[in-house]
């Protein structure tokens, strides 16, 4: 039995060695996978690395990964009460008290929170991609030029924004105000006897005169929020904190992004074939403009217009980028 097993094992090894030898000869004949280059990349796709190997006389396969290093950019949203922004100054330039000032002072007395008239949001890129590319060298006698086609694949979320920690007291106060606004009006609309607005143990806020006065004030003043822009029908979009008291937004695009580009490369050092440098210029196709979606599910690039300030500039910029421009520099080391 041992002799039979040993004979089969030797036969398999012989066939395997023969197959490996035949495969190696075939690959060498067609100049496939007989070299390996490693490179570090830097550019608009972020930082990354590539591994490249020939797949014939005129092409090479390049596989790698790139990510955008984390950095923060601040944006600011103004906080207001009601749908209409109010001027803090009269015609003579004197400071006047607005509805926001009155509500901010009342909230400070009730909650102890200092309510600011703006909320800072911090934006940061999050995109990272696997890349599979094929470089084609159209000129056999001049391999400095290459045309590249392939794709980038990564998470659909490429950036995000969230409120700064310093904005939490303001957002908590806004949430408290809007909760009181909703409960008071709901109690008032239910009619007498009014359901309690607030219940703490045996204590209930259900006084008739107080609820009627609060309902009148809340009706005249309106809800509190951040006026981001306007819907298509002209009504303002007032962003409010979520159930966790925070505000967020995400920038999303397609996970699969085809790429097409042109490149040029050559030796980094004279008479040295180990080190090369290459520059790639091309376009990553996103399949349309990115979507900027808030925690409330509102798409700022499609549902809202007239967005002011830096936020408006970022949204306008996002709308123009149906393709992402790629400019990358590769530092290449020839391994074998």
């Amino acid at each position: 039995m041992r002799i039979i097993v040993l004979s089969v094992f030797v036969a398999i090894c012989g066939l395997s060695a023969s197959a490996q030898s035949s495969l190696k000869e075939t690959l060498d004949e067609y100049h496939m996978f007989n070299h390996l280059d490693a490179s570090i990349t830097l550019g608009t796709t972020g930082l990354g690395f590539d591994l490249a190997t020939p797949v014939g006389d005129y092409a090479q396969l390049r596989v790698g990964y790139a990510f955008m290093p984390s950095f923060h950019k601040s944006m600011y949203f103004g906080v207001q009460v009601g749908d209409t922004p109010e001027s803090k100054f009269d015609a003579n330039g004197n400071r006047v008290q607005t509805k926001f000032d009155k509500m901010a002072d009342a909230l400070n007395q009730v909650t102890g929170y200092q309510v600011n008239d703006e909320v800072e949001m911090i934006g940061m890129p999050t995109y990272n991609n696997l890349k599979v590319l094929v470089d084609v060298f159209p000129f056999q006698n001049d391999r400095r030029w290459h045309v590249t086609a392939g794709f980038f694949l990564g998470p659909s979320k490429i950036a995000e924004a969230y409120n700064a920690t310093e904005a939490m007291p303001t957002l908590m106060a806004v949430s408290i105000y809007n909760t009181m606004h909703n409960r008071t009006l709901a109690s008032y609309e239910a009619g007498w006897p009014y359901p309690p607005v607030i219940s703490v143990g045996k204590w209930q806020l259900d006084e008739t005169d107080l609820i009627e006065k609060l309902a009148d004030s809340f009706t005249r003043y309106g809800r509190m929020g951040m006026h981001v822009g306007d819907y298509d029908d002209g009504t303002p979009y007032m962003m409010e904190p979520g159930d966790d008291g925070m505000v967020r937004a995400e920038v999303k695009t397609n996970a699969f992004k085809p790429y097409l580009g042109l490149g040029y490369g050559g030796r980094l050092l004279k008479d040295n074939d180990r080190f090369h440098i290459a520059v790639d210029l091309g376009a990553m196709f996103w399949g349309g403009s990115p979507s900027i979606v808030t925690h409330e599910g509102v798409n700022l690039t499609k549902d809202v217009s007239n967005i002011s300030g830096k936020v408006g500039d970022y949204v306008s910029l996002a709308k123009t980028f149906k393709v992402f421009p790629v400019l990358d520099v590769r530092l290449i080391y020839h391994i074998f």
Side-chain angles (χ1 to χ4, degrees):
M1 184 67 181
R2 290 181 181 179
I3 295 176
I4 296 174
V5 172
L6 182 60
S7 299
V8 172
F9 178 76
V10 171
I12 292 175
C13 289
L15 290 173
S16 176
S18 175
Q20 289 179 4
S21 177
S22 177
L23 176 61
K24 183 178 183 306
E25 291 175 358
T26 301
L27 294 178
D28 289 341
E29 180 181 355
Y30 291 100
H31 302 99
M32 300 180 67
F33 308 111
N34 55 354
H35 298 295
L36 182 65
D37 293 338
S39 59
I40 298 174
T41 62
L42 173 64
T44 57
T45 59
L47 295 174
F49 65 89
D50 290 350
L51 291 175
T53 186
V55 286
D57 292 330
Y58 293 92
Q60 70 174 4
L61 173 65
R62 186 152 49 94
V63 179
Y65 173 80
F67 70 97
M68 181 58 65
S70 177
F71 63 87
H72 294 169
K73 181 67 177 179
S74 293
M75 301 169 285
Y76 296 89
F77 291 93
V79 181
Q80 68 184 51
V81 178
D83 297 342
T84 306
E86 294 182 286
S87 175
K88 297 181 180 180
F89 302 91
D90 60 19
N92 298 319
N94 300 315
R95 182 71 165 84
V96 296
Q97 189 179 44
T98 64
K99 289 187 294 185
F100 171 82
D101 295 330
K102 295 176 183 178
M103 290 297 98
D105 182 62
L107 285 169
N108 179 254
Q109 294 182 38
V110 174
T111 67
Y113 291 129
Q114 181 65 44
V115 186
N116 295 320
D117 59 358
E118 65 178 11
V119 168
E120 179 186 5
M121 291 191 69
I122 300 172
M124 59 181 295
T126 61
Y127 72 86
N128 59 93
N129 291 283
L130 170 71
K131 48 186 174 180
V132 179
L133 307 169
V134 175
D135 299 320
V136 177
F137 303 93
F139 311 114
Q140 183 62 22
N141 296 327
D142 188 356
R143 295 177 65 85
R144 292 175 298 178
W145 293 96
H146 59 269
V147 178
T148 304
F151 64 87
F152 286 73
L153 181 65
S156 59
K157 185 176 76 172
I158 62 173
E160 63 181 359
Y162 51 88
N163 61 266
T165 303
E166 292 77 8
M168 286 303 300
T170 295
L171 294 174
M172 289 295 294
V174 171
S175 295
I176 291 171
Y177 172 88
N178 288 333
T179 299
M180 286 290 296
H181 176 281
N182 292 346
R183 291 184 177 178
T184 299
L185 294 185
S187 177
Y188 182 72
E189 291 170 359
W192 176 259
Y194 300 126
V197 176
I198 296 177
S199 298
V200 181
K202 296 182 179 180
W203 181 83
Q204 295 180 337
L205 175 57
D206 56 2
E207 294 294 331
T208 302
D209 291 341
L210 180 57
I211 290 179
E212 290 179 351
K213 290 179 181 179
L214 284 173
D216 178 67
S217 296
F218 281 130
T219 300
R220 288 186 293 108
Y221 279 45
R223 297 173 64 85
M224 185 178 288
M226 287 139 279
H227 185 196
V228 178
D230 301 318
Y231 290 112
D232 292 338
D233 61 1
T235 58
Y237 168 45
M238 303 288 291
M239 183 168 64
E240 299 180 10
D243 293 338
D244 57 359
M246 298 185 66
V247 289
R248 297 185 180 87
E250 294 183 347
V251 183
K252 293 186 175 181
T253 186
N254 290 338
F256 179 82
K257 299 168 280 288
Y259 172 82
L260 185 63
L262 177 69
Y264 181 85
R267 289 194 184 104
L268 182 62
L269 304 173
K270 186 177 180 180
D271 300 326
N272 189 323
D273 285 330
R274 282 287 185 181
F275 296 94
H276 288 73
I277 186 171
V279 177
D280 291 287
L281 177 64
M284 187 191 304
F285 295 91
W286 279 348
S289 301
S291 297
I292 304 177
V293 183
T294 69
H295 63 283
E296 297 173 308
V298 177
N299 190 337
L300 299 183
T301 57
K302 297 180 179 179
D303 304 330
V304 182
S305 58
N306 301 325
I307 303 174
S308 60
K310 287 292 184 182
V311 178
D313 294 339
Y314 295 143
V315 173
S316 298
L317 183 63
K319 289 181 179 180
T320 63
F321 277 119
K322 293 180 173 58
V323 297
F324 182 76
V326 174
L327 176 59
D328 282 350
V329 176
R330 289 184 287 128
L331 300 176
I332 307 165
Y333 177 72
H334 182 69
I335 299 176
F336 66 85

